[in-house]
Amino acid sequence: MSQCVRVAEKAFDYRVPLVVIGAGAAGLVAALSAHEAGEEVLVLERDPLPRGSTALSAGLIPAAATRWQNAAGIVDTAELFAGDILRKAHGEPDAVIVDHVARSAGPVLEWLADRHGLNFSVIEDFSYPGHSARRMHGLASRSGEELIDALRAAAETCEIPVICDAHVTTLFADDTDRVLGLAFARPDGSIEEIGCDRLILACNGYGGNRALVAQHIPSLSDATYFGHAGNQGDALLWGQALGAATRHLNGHQGHGSVAHPAGILISWATITEGGFQVNIRGERFSNEAKGYSEQAAEVLKQPEGIAWSVFDARIAGITRQFEDFRRAEAMGAVVTAESPADLAARINVPEDGLVSTCAQVEACKRGEASDPFARDFSGSQPLAAPFCAVRVTGALFHTQGGLVIDTRARVLRPDGSALPNLYAAGGAACGVSGNDASGYLSGNGLLTAVTLGRTAGAAKINGDE
Ligand SMILES: Cc1cc2nc3c(=O)[nH]c(=O)nc-3n(C[C@H](O)[C@H](O)[C@H](O)COP(=O)(O)OP(=O)(O)OC[C@H]3O[C@@H](n4cnc5c(N)ncnc54)[C@H](O)[C@@H]3O)c2cc1C
């Protein structure tokens, strides 16, 4: 249970200039950034090994005007990127923060590549909803596990101390809201204390805390949480105890394409490349192209909270670049058949329903019918045999609301003043997705993890503290 204890002063046996709580993408990037700036930094992680939601993710980070895009002939700018973020989030996020993260992302990825050997490439063969350029960058396996392992290896190379099995429970702060230090619990129940000059909260949001999800995101209070269970909302609770402003606490990323019961993320390329979703009656129920985040609630509203994603072998070929998809195939979660009627029989949905839905979608693609859900199918290739289907459900991936920060990642009070020495990055900070699921543009999660991590880590060299 996290708590904030007020003390006039406190002596610690051990002090470090900077402590980072959490060794996900935000925390490790912050630590690398601070180390480069010459600040002594210590990372505390509650788990035995740094993983976090970062390890569960597809590891894809959007960035504009990168050298990888240039090499692929993709024209993009930070302005275009910022416009996409704001459009998807209905203009709700702070435009100054959006501008900051959109501008920072490219340089941060190039820094991670040049300085720390992360070998990014850009996804060239499909588009994510809401992005007006192909700008998703990932490591070779397109998995977050590879990303977190590469960041951890970089921290090891820099000899940055990362103490695992260190569950931070308590912040000590004086009456000016300055954090003096913290206490963390070890697996054997012992408690250790450390003093610090500044603190970066990189312990993500509150997706793993049922009570906070029910309070702030009631539409997904019963949904499966697909993110890291250890993300219990500690940053939010500590920030609130210190008088920080919070924003967009209903904001979140859902996902309408988690293979069920396999529990594996199925890339949304299955849909954007011309696939669609039906319920167990074989009927479509929404405009899937709006985005996978808002689709979580749509799928959960269907009978049994289930849908089938229907696509074809060509699309499966594109999606196979994701390790998760290959795993789903190996587990038998991807059903194939030579015709829509055979597919209906194999997935046990009414043949009439699925066959007529397939015909309707193909008519929309040919421009001979208009979609009742207003999805724009123009430019989508027709599906061809063999056809594929995966049984999916909707899930909560991570929360997007959090502590209000400025462009130096300093945590702010409601009056706009900065707390003396508290910073937040990644899911601990209010993101750029606005106040509901529909505002989440693909990649907003790791975008704010790496860019705000970089900013928070470099804050000392940039003049803070
Ligand atoms: C299945 C899935 C797929 C996703 N795919 C993508 C994607 O492709 N692109 C994208 O941009 N986003 C994606 N996301 C979202 C992305 O994973 C997160 O936004 C991002 O990883 C957040 O990084 P973080 O460093 O803030 O948090 P995390 O990676 O979760 O790290 C937080 C760390 O803090 C630790 N911690 C928590 N509390 C404490 C405490 N009290 N003391 C010590 N340590 C603590 C945790 O154990 C954890 O290791 C996905 C999410 C999921 C669940």
Side-chain angles (χ1 to χ4, degrees):
M1 181 66 187
S2 60
Q3 59 171 341
C4 183
V5 175
R6 297 286 181 166
V7 286
E9 54 187 42
K10 186 166 169 63
F12 294 91
D13 289 341
Y14 183 59
R15 282 194 75 78
V16 280
L18 170 63
V19 172
V20 177
I21 303 178
L28 291 174
V29 169
L32 291 168
S33 185
H35 175 80
E36 182 178 87
E39 192 175 15
E40 191 189 338
V41 51
L42 170 70
V43 183
L44 298 175
E45 165 57 49
R46 61 178 282 166
D47 285 354
L49 191 70
R51 289 183 52 79
S53 285
T54 301
L56 302 171
S57 77
L60 297 179
I61 309 170
T66 66
R67 62 172 182 244
W68 301 282
Q69 287 178 309
N70 288 341
I74 298 167
V75 178
D76 196 10
T77 64
E79 291 74 23
L80 201 59
F81 183 17
D84 290 345
I85 295 172
L86 282 170
R87 195 172 318 107
K88 188 74 173 77
H90 327 292
E92 292 173 1
D94 180 342
V96 175
I97 299 291
V98 171
D99 181 67
H100 175 71
V101 299
R103 272 180 207 291
S104 311
V108 170
L109 295 196
E110 293 185 4
W111 166 72
L112 285 172
D114 295 340
R115 189 88 180 197
H116 299 292
L118 274 70
N119 206 359
F120 288 106
S121 57
V122 64
I123 292 192
E124 295 178 48
D125 52 356
F126 68 90
S127 303
Y128 278 84
H131 283 286
S132 54
R134 293 187 171 176
R135 59 168 77 100
M136 284 296 190
H137 297 72
L139 301 179
S141 66
R142 312 297 194 220
S143 80
E145 210 151 339
E146 186 180 1
L147 177 64
I148 198 76
D149 285 347
L151 291 172
R152 195 187 70 227
E156 280 167 8
T157 302
C158 293
E159 299 184 358
I160 295 170
V162 178
I163 302 183
C164 292
D165 283 326
H167 182 185
V168 181
T169 55
T170 307
L171 301 192
F172 299 102
D174 67 16
D175 59 7
T176 70
D177 307 320
R178 173 175 291 275
V179 177
L180 304 174
L182 47 82
F184 58 94
R186 299 302 235 154
D188 64 3
S190 62
I191 303 291
E192 295 179 29
E193 294 183 350
I194 289 181
C196 61
D197 298 333
R198 68 183 190 105
L199 179 67
I200 298 176
L201 300 174
C203 43
N204 208 331
Y206 39 93
N209 185 321
R210 281 254 160 227
L212 289 178
V213 171
Q215 183 184 346
H216 298 301
I217 316 175
S219 63
L220 292 187
S221 57
D222 294 327
T224 303
Y225 171 55
F226 210 63
H228 181 61
N231 295 330
Q232 291 288 321
D234 294 338
L236 177 68
L237 298 171
W238 285 321
Q240 286 175 323
L242 286 166
T246 63
R247 201 167 175 221
H248 292 160
L249 295 183
N250 183 49
H252 61 278
Q253 182 201 355
H255 210 297
S257 180
V258 174
H260 187 74
I264 298 174
L265 171 62
I266 302 295
S267 165
W268 204 237
T270 49
I271 304 301
T272 52
E273 278 298 303
F276 55 90
Q277 289 191 325
V278 295
N279 58 23
I280 56 174
R281 296 189 290 263
E283 297 162 352
R284 280 183 60 236
F285 49 87
S286 64
N287 176 356
E288 307 89 337
K290 279 189 183 165
Y292 54 66
S293 181
E294 52 269 60
Q295 192 70 3
E298 296 292 344
V299 170
L300 289 169
K301 275 190 248 163
Q302 299 310 303
E304 300 176 22
I306 286 298
W308 287 92
S309 290
V310 177
F311 49 100
D312 67 5
R314 177 189 64 83
I315 297 174
I318 294 172
T319 314
R320 210 165 276 128
Q321 69 184 286
F322 290 93
E323 193 170 284
D324 278 344
F325 188 78
R326 298 196 296 273
R327 230 161 27 95
E329 281 188 311
M331 286 176 70
V334 183
V335 179
T336 59
E338 284 306 313
S339 69
D342 288 348
L343 192 64
R346 294 215 54 208
I347 65 177
N348 199 23
V349 306
E351 182 181 321
D352 290 358
L354 186 61
V355 169
S356 79
T357 300
C358 285
Q360 166 82 13
V361 167
E362 295 310 320
C364 291
K365 290 180 183 173
R366 292 191 301 272
E368 294 165 4
S370 60
D371 180 36
F373 301 101
R375 175 167 167 188
D376 179 5
F377 279 102
S378 58
S380 293
Q381 290 192 37
L383 298 189
F387 297 91
C388 307
V390 181
R391 188 173 191 263
V392 297
T393 190
L396 171 63
F397 272 22
H398 57 113
T399 54
Q400 279 285 289
L403 305 177
V404 175
I405 46 143
D406 64 9
T407 53
R408 288 145 89 182
R410 298 181 305 178
V411 175
L412 303 181
R413 299 187 180 94
D415 66 4
S417 63
L419 287 164
N421 62 348
L422 188 67
Y423 298 75
C430 176
V432 290
S433 305
N435 204 32
D436 66 33
S438 70
Y440 186 84
L441 183 69
S442 306
N444 275 359
L446 284 170
L447 171 68
T448 54
V450 300
T451 56
L452 297 177
R454 175 79 166 130
T455 303
K460 185 164 180 260
I461 207 170
N462 289 337
D464 293 349
E465 280 302 295

